[in-house]
């Protein structure tokens, strides 16, 4: 193996303590002799959830040599709540130790800049690799094999059971339900997300009538007792009386026939969509990415494609899926649908000539409407990725916190499942006002209308909760927050941006069809940059900072494709690595003239 920089791994500290260890605190000394993979994640982040799924196979295959440690590093205020972290660890079936680090102590000591980030520590306690974003499982698998061989030969590898201790299961009828749909007969169909099932409840919202799905993670069509889902979420009635299901972790759309109980697949291959993959075509041949919710609008099924910050559509007659809105760049930008930016759209509701969207990571409510021959995207509430809170009043200054659901109300307004505020909010387009309808709801993720009532999916209370639609709004004390991450001090003038990417061992950059890398740079406020913004293929760029702007956020999106480096192989296996960063910066004399962002590998200028 090539020599690696010897960087001692900092200790693991977090005020929230440890989960999944049976009450024991862990330190790096406890893990010496094992290969440790630190997964810096936060449970709002769909890219982090993708990485959890990417690591499952590696975690099982190398269980006696590898210990994965989740370091939960919150973005939103709600994510610093220890109870919420406990819920998320169960909700997403995290089967390894997790350090709850609400003050980002370990995040800072490892100089992490983005969710998700993976750090590999060798059995002697040295950092040997860092990877930001998704798509690195193959590279880490290769590195783990090398580390196993190297340290077995040195006598420094310790095999055996890891420190994971599963929590006791809790018996409830539902477990972290995601969305609900009112069926024509007055019963409810609920996505029982953590149990990988659909559940039909009686009209009282409590009594279980039937379960659809075997209750184990999988991707299998067939009758209700044999079909398998993987963390299903959104539900929508189709014109033929069947129900479309957003089978989120299978990256697929399924169809459930309430009359027969049969489950079939409408769209998706089971593989995750990556940049460069087709974004339109026969539904069963096109990859999708974490579809989260569904709604019938403008004669087709719309899909909140949370994993790529887009809206897609599915047309049952032609059986074609297509990207319909969003560029895959994460942010809040209005305009023509193909130019708009979304931030993890997670809730949809059709109302007349508008399709309402809960755009969760920007804490926003958006809508789609017809615009000439196409569609356009507008924003009702929300300002971007970093501002959130609980504030009512005029929509321009109102604040939400990571909403996951929207429900059209009879008067033309929209109810919002304001998930991380544990509230049901309302936006009225007629007045431009935002109000609070109900509080003390535990992570509401969706709602459905039933006569004069609204039935809320209280995800973290594992139940449906029926509320009378109030005549007046509830008064709450206003609170505003910003994402709390330390700003990077940079010097005025020219800033050298380096996205560090080292192809995994045995691979090289794939240049057979042109450049294999992509870099997109923008800023908030836009006037922060006087030069260097925009798209390009070089992972190194000179940014020119404008005079007079002293702080802001640099938005950097990078992608690299690498393939097996074997000239004898006509069809080499290829892998896409990608990540988005939002880096808060402060312009000050004496600040750094170089900003390194590690996509994969180690920054030799810092660690060498």
């Amino acid at each position: 193996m090539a020599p690696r920089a010897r960087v001692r791994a900092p200790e693991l500290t977090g005020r929230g303590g440890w989960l999944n260890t049976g009450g024991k605190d862990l330190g790096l000394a406890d893990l010496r002799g094992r290969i440790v993979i630190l997964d810096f994640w936060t449970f709002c982040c769909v890219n982090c959830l993708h990485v959890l799924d990417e690591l499952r196979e590696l975690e099982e295959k190398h269980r006696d040599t590898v210990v994965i440690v989740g370091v939960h590093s919150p973005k939103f205020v709600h994510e610093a709540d220890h109870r919420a972290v406990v819920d998320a660890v169960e909700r997403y079936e995290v089967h390894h130790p997790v350090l709850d680090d609400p003050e980002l102590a370990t995040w800072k000591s490892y100089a992490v800049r983005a969710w998700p980030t993976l750090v590999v520590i060798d059995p002697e306690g040295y950092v040997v690799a860092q990877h930001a974003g998704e798509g690195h499982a193959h590279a880490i698998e290769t590195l783990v094999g090398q580390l196993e061989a190297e340290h077995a030969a040195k006598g420094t590898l310790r095999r055996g059971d890891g420190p994971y201790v599963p929590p006791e299961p809790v018996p409830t009828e539902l477990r972290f339900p995601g969305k609900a749909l009112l069926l024509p007969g007055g019963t409810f169909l609920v996505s029982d997300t953590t149990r990988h099932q659909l559940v039909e409840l009686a009209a009282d919202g409590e009594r279980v009538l039937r379960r659809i799905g075997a209750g184990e993670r999988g991707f299998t069509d067939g009758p209700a007792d044999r079909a398998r889902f993987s963390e299903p979420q959104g539900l929508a009635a189709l014109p033929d009386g069947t129900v479309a299901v957003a089978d989120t972790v299978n990256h697929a759309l399924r169809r459930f026939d309430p009359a027969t109980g049969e489950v079939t697949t409408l769209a998706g291959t089971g593989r995750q969509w990556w940049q460069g993959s087709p974004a339109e075509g026969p539904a069963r041949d096109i990859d999708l990415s974490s579809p989260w919710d569904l709604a019938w609008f403008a004669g087709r099924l719309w899909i909140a494609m949370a994993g790529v910050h887009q809206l897609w559509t599915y047309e049952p007659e032609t059986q074609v899926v297509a990207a319909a809105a969003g560029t895959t760049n994460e942010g809040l930008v209005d305009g023509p649908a193909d130019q708009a930016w979304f931030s993890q759209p997670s809730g949809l509701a059709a109302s007349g000539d508008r399709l309402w969207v809960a755009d969760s990571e920007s804490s926003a409510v958006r809508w789609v409407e017809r615009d000439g021959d196409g569609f356009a995207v507008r924003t009702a509430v929300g300002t971007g990725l970093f501002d959130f809170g609980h504030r009512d009043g005029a929509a321009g200054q109102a604040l939400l916190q990571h909403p996951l659901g929207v429900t059209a109300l009879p008067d033309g307004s929209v109810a919002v499942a304001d998930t991380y505020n544990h509230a049901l909010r309302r936006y009225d387009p007629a007045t431009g006002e935002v109000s609070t309808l109900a509080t003390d709801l535990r992570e509401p993720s969706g709602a459905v209308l039933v006569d004069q009532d609204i039935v809320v999916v209280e995800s973290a209370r594992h139940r449906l909760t029926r509320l009378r639609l109030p005549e007046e709004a509830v008064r709450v004390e206003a609170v505003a927050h910003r994402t709390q991450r330390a700003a990077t001090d940079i010097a005025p003038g020219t800033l050298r941006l380096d996205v560090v990417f080292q192809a995994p061992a045995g691979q090289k950059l794939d240049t057979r069809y042109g450049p294999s890398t992509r870099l997109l740079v923008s800023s908030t406020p836009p006037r922060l940059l006087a030069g260097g913004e925009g798209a390009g293929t070089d992972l190194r760029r000179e940014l020119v900072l404008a005079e007079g702007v002293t702080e802001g956020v640099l938005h950097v999106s990078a992608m690299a494709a690498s393939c097996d480096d074997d000239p004898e192989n006509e069809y080499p296996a290829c892998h896409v690595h990608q990540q988005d960063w939002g880096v808060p910066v402060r312009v000050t004399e004496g600040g750094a003239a170089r900003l390194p962002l590690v996509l994969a590998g180690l920054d030799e200028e810092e660690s060498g």
Side-chain angles (χ1 to χ4, degrees), residues 220-501:
T220 306
D221 288 342
D225 61 341
R226 293 209 303 268
R228 290 193 178 191
F229 301 93
S230 189
E231 299 182 27
Q233 288 281 350
L235 306 165
L238 294 173
D240 65 359
T242 62
V243 176
V245 182
D247 194 6
T248 304
V249 177
N250 278 328
H251 309 295
L253 298 188
R254 314 292 291 282
R255 182 172 72 174
F256 166 62
D257 187 340
T260 66
E262 194 78 11
V263 175
T264 54
T265 298
L266 291 176
T269 62
R271 298 183 300 270
Q272 184 182 342
W273 188 93
W274 291 101
Q275 291 287 351
S277 301
E280 181 175 3
R284 293 292 300 273
D285 297 337
I286 301 296
D287 299 339
L288 309 180
S289 183
S290 294
W292 208 276
D293 203 9
L294 306 167
W296 187 264
F297 173 70
R300 66 203 78 177
L301 185 70
W302 288 68
I303 309 162
M305 203 72 77
V308 285
H309 316 296
Q310 288 183 307
L311 304 182
W312 286 38
T313 59
Y314 167 75
E315 299 200 20
E317 288 188 6
T318 61
Q319 298 182 21
V320 166
V321 291
T327 64
T328 75
N329 296 321
E330 184 178 13
L332 195 156
V333 177
D334 289 342
D338 61 351
Q339 299 173 31
W341 292 22
F342 290 94
S343 301
Q344 208 169 300
S346 303
L348 298 176
S351 176
D353 59 358
R354 289 184 177 183
L355 176 69
W356 294 101
V357 183
D359 205 23
S360 62
E361 280 292 279
S362 58
S363 297
V365 173
R366 322 277 295 276
W367 80 84
V368 177
E369 63 184 7
R370 288 199 178 275
D371 183 25
D373 294 333
F375 294 91
V377 177
R378 315 290 183 209
T379 297
V381 185
T383 59
L385 288 166
F386 301 98
D387 293 293
F388 56 92
H390 191 156
R391 187 162 63 200
D392 289 333
Q397 56 84 54
L399 294 172
L400 308 168
Q401 188 180 179
H402 197 77
L404 288 178
V406 281
T407 305
L409 299 179
D411 63 358
S413 65
V414 59
V416 182
D418 193 6
T419 309
Y420 288 2
N421 280 328
H422 309 298
L424 187 68
R425 311 286 292 283
R426 175 176 178 260
Y427 167 68
D428 186 351
T431 64
E433 292 284 315
V434 174
S435 55
T436 298
L437 298 176
T439 57
D440 191 30
L441 299 167
R442 187 72 182 168
E443 293 193 18
S445 55
V448 292
L449 280 175
V450 183
D451 300 324
Q452 299 302 309
D453 295 343
I454 189 164
V455 176
V456 180
V457 181
E458 265 197 284
S459 188
R461 282 201 178 110
H462 319 293
R463 69 187 190 192
L464 302 188
T465 299
R466 194 176 187 117
L467 304 172
R468 178 70 64 177
L469 276 173
E471 294 286 338
E472 296 183 3
V474 177
R475 291 191 177 276
V476 296
E477 184 176 348
V479 59
H481 301 287
R482 294 212 85 211
T483 300
Q484 295 302 308
R485 280 183 288 160
T488 299
D489 287 338
I490 58 175
T494 300
L495 177 69
R496 179 178 143 203
L497 172 65
D498 281 344
V499 174
V500 178
F501 178 76

Side-chain angles (χ1 to χ4, degrees), residues 19 41 43 72 77-91 100 176 420 422 442-443 460:
L19 306 176
W41 70 299
F43 63 78
H72 189 268
V77 168
H78 171 60
E79 293 172 310
D81 176 356
H82 182 71
R83 178 67 247 177
V85 179
V86 172
D87 285 345
V89 168
E90 181 189 351
R91 180 194 298 265
D100 181 11
F176 299 103
Y420 288 2
H422 309 298
R442 187 72 182 168
E443 293 193 18

